[in-house]
Amino acid sequence: MNNTALSARALRILNVCPIVNAEPRTGALWLPQNNNPVEIKKILLPSKNLAEDLHAAFSRHECDNPQFGLDWLDNLVRTALTGHESAALYVARRGPGDLVALPLKLDGRTGQAHALANFYTSTYTPVIQSDSSRPLLVALLRFLADRERFTALTLSPIDSQTPFFAEVAALLEDAGWTGVHHYACFANWTHSLEDAPFQTYLSNRPSRLSNTINRKTRSFFKHDRGRMEVLHGGEQVEYGIKAFVSIYERSWKTNEPFDAFMPELIRLSARRDWLRLGLAYYDDIPVASQVWLVSGGVAYIYKLAHLDEYAHLSPGTVLSAFMLERAIDQDHIATVDFLTGDDDYKKDWMSHRGERKGVAAYNPRTLRGRALQLGHTLKRRFK
């Protein structure tokens, strides 16, 4: 809805003054916040016309994790939305460089809004560039309920140890959302290296892991039948994509519901120098593949797959050890992140278990929002 289409009632509720905006794909409103006006702006994604300070904020945010950056989000929007979904960036600012931004996925069927994330995402957080972000976040969340009238809002997966997770429920309640509750998403296993070389890392892990790696590595490379390579970029990337997709599709893994996402992520990561695409060959046949991203001193172990008929050789284990040794001793990473899941084997490789959680809330300004909250309340009561 554009600004001129706002009803008088909506204007009274919001107490806003419309602003003429030159960008036809965006809308902007001013919200008074204790005599310090807050601009709320909606930008449809993907977009190449972001303000300079917003673009810079995303670039700084991306240093913490590639998933926080615009390149990652653009790939998600272009390759991993369904036909009834769209994406938008909601920005609240008090002035240049004083802003918060919330990337959201909008469900056209249900009227709900969700974090711009899905099963490819291991962590989510808003972009915050402000010394006093709380009023901005409350104004933005109130805008989503009052102006956009989303029936429900879910934000996940959020690192449960972050300040944002600690305060997001209170922010939503202050903004007028009801039925606010947290829920579990998945575990996240990581390991801090503290400048230790690979051999020191391995000596500090359970002996069964080091024994397995040594035994399986000797077996895999016996008689020169096995070999490894790690692709970073260049002309070999397309070959690497074909090999990865072929192995993944023939492995035990569930088929990708969005088959363009991973190839495009690999190409993006190659351009950004994040890519570490590992391939294990046996008798010159690609039998295992892994996609890692290395950025900001962290190695993110993103996708793993191997051919079932070679499982007795444990090519995945051998390849993991090979890639980890290179990441530690050549890339000099400080942290390894196994991303999503509580698989038993991760406990041997990693040392710290974190949790990702979500938060959900309902909009009492809408009939469907009240119905969703009632359904949630009854479900919890009779569970």
Side-chain angles (χ1 to χ4, degrees), residues 54-257:
L54 182 57
H55 200 281
F58 266 102
S59 296
R60 285 188 286 271
H61 200 42
E62 185 186 69
C63 293
D64 294 332
N65 191 313
Q67 296 183 44
F68 297 158
L70 289 170
D71 283 345
W72 178 285
L73 295 177
D74 278 355
N75 185 41
L76 196 66
V77 172
R78 295 178 190 278
T79 64
L81 296 184
T82 64
H84 58 86
E85 293 175 335
S86 61
L89 181 64
Y90 288 88
V91 184
R93 68 167 80 236
R94 276 183 296 247
D98 186 9
L99 60 87
V100 299
L102 197 65
L104 293 180
K105 180 170 58 178
L106 317 179
D107 190 321
R109 292 189 307 185
T110 65
Q112 299 183 25
H114 310 274
L116 183 49
N118 62 9
F119 47 83
Y120 294 117
T121 306
S122 65
T123 186
Y124 174 87
T125 182
V127 175
I128 298 176
Q129 183 176 293
S130 176
D131 293 332
S132 180
S133 62
R134 185 180 182 88
L136 290 173
L137 286 165
V138 171
L140 184 52
L141 293 170
R142 183 179 294 121
F143 175 86
L144 297 177
D146 287 345
R147 167 70 190 275
E148 298 293 82
R149 301 190 71 77
F150 293 122
T151 59
L153 176 66
T154 57
L155 300 175
S156 71
I158 308 171
D159 185 343
S160 62
Q161 298 302 308
T162 60
F164 176 69
F165 182 78
E167 67 175 354
V168 64
L171 292 171
L172 284 162
E173 289 171 353
D174 287 352
W177 294 84
T178 56
V180 181
H181 62 280
H182 293 136
Y183 58 92
C185 293
F186 49 79
N188 167 244
W189 284 90
T190 60
H191 183 83
S192 296
L193 294 159
E194 300 177 352
D195 297 323
F198 175 74
Q199 289 303 323
T200 300
Y201 156 81
L202 197 59
S203 67
N204 290 329
R205 304 314 304 146
S207 58
R208 62 179 175 273
L209 177 64
S210 57
N211 291 338
T212 298
I213 289 173
N214 291 331
R215 184 177 72 257
K216 292 298 184 179
T217 298
R218 287 194 301 269
S219 176
F220 190 81
F221 287 103
K222 190 175 182 180
H223 305 306
D224 294 325
R225 297 181 70 182
R227 65 182 176 90
M228 304 279 175
E229 71 173 337
V230 179
L231 308 180
H232 292 225
E235 297 179 355
Q236 289 185 305
V237 168
E238 293 304 316
Y239 162 76
I241 291 173
K242 291 180 181 178
F244 165 77
V245 171
S246 175
I247 293 170
Y248 198 90
E249 290 179 344
R250 295 163 57 197
S251 73
W252 78 100
K253 299 279 188 174
T254 304
N255 289 340
E256 293 285 336

Side-chain angles (χ1 to χ4, degrees), residues 33-53:
Q33 294 287 322
N34 298 325
N35 299 318
N36 194 0
V38 175
E39 180 195 30
I40 308 290
K41 194 172 187 180
K42 174 184 178 180
I43 304 170
L44 299 183
L45 296 177
S47 174
K48 300 299 182 183
N49 300 313
L50 297 184
E52 184 176 344
D53 63 341

Side-chain angles (χ1 to χ4, degrees), residues 272-289:
R272 297 297 307 275
D273 197 29
W274 300 332
L275 180 65
R276 305 295 185 268
L277 196 164
L279 291 169
Y281 300 84
Y282 198 75
D283 292 337
D284 288 328
I285 299 171
V287 297
S289 180

